[in-house]
Amino acid sequence: MKVTFQIEGESPVIIECNAGDNLLELARRANVAIDAPCSGNGSCGKCRVKLVEGELESPRSRHITDEEYAQGWRLSCSSLVRSDCTVFVPDIASAYQSRMKTADLSSPQEVAIFEECQAQLKQSGIRFTNHFRAVTVCLEEPSLDNTMPDNERLSWALEEALDVEKVEIPFFVMAKLASTLREHRFQVCVKGEVRGDTFQCMEICGPEDTAIVGCAIDIGTTTVTMVLTDLVTGRLLAKGSSGNGQIRYGADVINRIIEQGKPGGRKKLQDAIIKETLNPIIATLCKTAGISARSILRLSVGANTTMNHLFVGVDAGPVRMEPYIPSFFRWDGLLAGDLKLPANPLAPVIIAPNIGSYVGGDITAGTLASGIWDKDEMSLFIDLGTNGEIVFGNRDFLVSCACSAGPAFEGGDISCGMRATDGAMEACTIDKDTMEPTLSIIGDEGQKCVGICGSGIIDLISELFRCGIINAKGLFVREGSRVKRDAHGMGRYVVAFPEDSETGREIALNEVDIDNFIRAKGAIFSAIDTLLSSVDMTVEMIDRVYVAGGIGSGINMKNAVNIGMFPDVELEKFHYIGNSSLTGAHAMVISDEANAKTLEVAANMTYLELSTYPGYMDSFVAACFLPHTDARLFPHSVQEA
Amino acid sequence: MKVTFQIEGESPVIIECNAGDNLLELARRANVAIDAPCSGNGSCGKCRVKLVEGELESPRSRHITDEEYAQGWRLSCSSLVRSDCTVFVPDIASAYQSRMKTADLSSPQEVAIFEECQAQLKQSGIRFTNHFRAVTVCLEEPSLDNTMPDNERLSWALEEALDVEKVEIPFFVMAKLASTLREHRFQVCVKGEVRGDTFQCMEICGPEDTAIVGCAIDIGTTTVTMVLTDLVTGRLLAKGSSGNGQIRYGADVINRIIEQGKPGGRKKLQDAIIKETLNPIIATLCKTAGISARSILRLSVGANTTMNHLFVGVDAGPVRMEPYIPSFFRWDGLLAGDLKLPANPLAPVIIAPNIGSYVGGDITAGTLASGIWDKDEMSLFIDLGTNGEIVFGNRDFLVSCACSAGPAFEGGDISCGMRATDGAMEACTIDKDTMEPTLSIIGDEGQKCVGICGSGIIDLISELFRCGIINAKGLFVREGSRVKRDAHGMGRYVVAFPEDSETGREIALNEVDIDNFIRAKGAIFSAIDTLLSSVDMTVEMIDRVYVAGGIGSGINMKNAVNIGMFPDVELEKFHYIGNSSLTGAHAMVISDEANAKTLEVAANMTYLELSTYPGYMDSFVAACFLPHTDARLFPHSVQEA
């Protein structure tokens, strides 16, 4: 028996199978990317495929309308093969992968925020310098009177040029030393790092190629973002991003830890992030920047603890099992060659240190970028990703915690959710009387709606609540042409009717979506609340709130307060600082001092394990309400009468 | 068109070809090992194959008798394909490769010599100690109250156990840290090296595996020999040897340098030594010793300059081209992982330093082993290999030179020559009156003669000369049943008639063989002569002569003097020290002090380039005579009247 996958825009893939095989499993075996953020338990409804020919045994699902079912649409995770089949895999299924554009650094505002953060770091006294060098030397040509071997000849010249006592020439440079010297008539550019009295040579090439480059990478559970930067000038050379290829093994870290624990799983997950995700971006960025990968002399990575483990191929199993022991917080001495990254094999890979199983290097790098470690005033740093992490403190102390907010902020767990890319509704207002929305869609003029991204969901729920269309529990309490109910009575608000949407399908937010989102925002707020309590502080004592994350540049802070997601402080205290993990990683790749400071910040940060903290669950339950069970906490939240 | 190679004892290999293709070239392309020490110029006659079917265009050769030609025997190097062919490749063709037994360390005497040298080194004050350690630690198991990550937990325990300040855990150890700790309930053995205040961890395993092993390798142009040794006790764990797989690209270094210069040649030559030769021996030795390859924590290599370059895959081209500049003399920081050797990837590979293009690490390691650097008396050190190298001096000075003796001492360039293995005639006497020989054959009782090894050739020529069967020019001057002549009048001495030989073919030494050998011994003696002159010394001033090399344990020094190969000094001054390159490499792999001493010896050794030294050619021509043009140099040489 066999299944043919007709992948939108790609060559078909055929795989042998047996009757009763699960279609999603088959797709994974065949390396066909089908987006399944819930890891195949039927809850997210994103793994839709269309049966073209043959027979599948698929139960009905709330994610597939009757009409769609009649057209052949099925959820692959709950379909069993019953005959030779041909299924159509829509391109959206691989949207999380390499073809996806993401918001990170794609707009001038994002770049401006990124650069502003770097400037702030410099103001905090962090020098953006390192010990990498590209030095051009001209050697005396050998003769019968000067028969020094090539390596000594080069070492002598470098010792003089760089004022070092020792030069280390690695294997792969030695292997081409004779030919490179002779090809360029003994005038060559040598790249490497000065380490104390030693120069670690890392590359030799012709005198015209003097580029030395750093590569900073933010590995998010959902999205990967990367910049190449000149190690001498600090100039941004190229930037890019894509979905994390591991997404097909589950949307959250727990599902991925389970997957990596299966036979061959670690290799599979590592390949998904390195071979399938990072390597193509690095290749593209090198091309954009016009450099060879061998010129990348240092890399830095901001990633959560699980992503760090999966990235290096180390068992992440213990991370999720009591007593939650990762293999490492810090890792010194990792090299690009160890991971076969397309960079100089000797390039150090700096991993921003983790401080707990669920507060990772993305947060320590982000904390560095936020600058809160250098201030007298009390700051709250919130990183909204697939997990939410919170840091609070100032130059004297820092406490942190993590909460599992789920993928709702990135469009996951929401039936029409999507990331902040073309076609995403990223902001909206609703007319209280007509209940008609005014939408802001990412993309060119005339772009129709494809789905709703995180910032759009915040606005939408806030507006639905303000207009009294939903109540404090998130249930629909007004009726109208935009408010519809299904056969089970579940209400939804239609953002775009089928004829107005890009996909020809209705874009709506239903009560399950709202409930999912309320739990996500409840997790964030209760984490903040609990963290403050743990140090005997209250919301009033917060001087600044730094919000970071891939949720998009356009969070409407007023609306986020309105729904009880962020604490009700003056709006001018909020600062959006973009992808702070990337910003921090970027600082670390250029600056030895930023590196040292991040280690110091990590060493001084206390980790609060929320799951075992008394009172956290009560706080969470109380926060699963619009804006909160205790409305006095949100004096500025409005529900118009 | 195609050629089928029927390889004795192996599956046939078929290769597509065109009319006119050279058969030896085709064999090389098809990876069929055909022994061609002369690299295909028709002079050695060793690349015999037998045409079974089809048509080859092959000229007659002095190496093929009429009868053999009629049977189908051809020289593959001078055969062109004219139709689909099937050729039989005799097993002898791959004898140089892995199936060949060699003399090195195969006899108790050899081992005794090896151990005697090590003992001498210790007497010279070299301590046989190093900083490699295997330490078993028992870690506190993690709990909710002790949530230190695995790597810090391990580092703390090691810092305490070894009294170091820092522990470096490499990538491949990190990758299995979590599982190894848990599998062995946090009681593990860690192997590595203490470097100053740092412990470089290299392996983690269960507490029962505490082996730490060094691997010393002698890479000769013709033969490779290896020992595994316990890094703690110095005990020999396993030993083995085989032919150098590069032999099919030429018998001498010049042919191999030419081959490695062709497209893909460096990889091909490196694969031949590492993948085809070293890796199988290491695997066998690890099995014998009952250790895992990951327990090999250091390797050392004694090899000539060209072998060193080919081993590491570095262009050896400049070595043979004026001004003869190698890529390196010393190489620090090479790791087993760089070369993908089956050992611990972080195991340092110590290359005994070269001191010139033709005096390599085998000689510096051998000089170390000889102990001449520690003596007041004047010593001559002679290493007889494919090249001959000479060192002269004492604790105050050392001079060295190399001469191209060719492969005659190892049985090359001799029609019935072979290495010192089963069936080799290794010693003989001849009855002056009857001219009948008494042979000593390597092997079990009753072993018949297969060929003649280096020590056997020395004896044979010396006896032929003593008995007046050949004259001072090496031409036959007596007739008899043992002395035959071919159609061209070329004389030969029959060592074994066809019915008495193992192969059923006549074993004989002819005038061309004798001429080749006289040139080889002439090269050795004139090198000694020239080296002594260069420091204004004479033969009388020699206090000791150390003879090393793979020529076999049984050199009859009297005969070697008799033919004018070694200087005519008292026989008791001669000492055979076996494979001194291996002995030196072995000392270096165990002992940090032996390492340092070898560098010191190399740094203090002067290199004399013979080819440009005035008078060398005259000296060589004068030495191409039995025993020498100036017979006064050899008062003890006898030719009985």
Side-chain angles (χ1 to χ4, degrees), chain A residues 150-151 174-175 266 326-327 330, chain B residues 150-151 175 266 326-327 330-331:
Chain A
D150 292 344
N151 65 341
M174 278 299 295
R266 251 153 73 188
S327 273
R330 280 180 61 172
Chain B
D150 292 344
N151 65 341
R266 251 154 72 191
S327 273
R330 280 180 59 171
W331 184 322

Side-chain angles (χ1 to χ4, degrees), chain B residues 31-45:
Chain B
N31 281 319
V32 172
I34 292 183
D35 185 20
C38 74
S39 207
N41 62 28
S43 68
C44 76

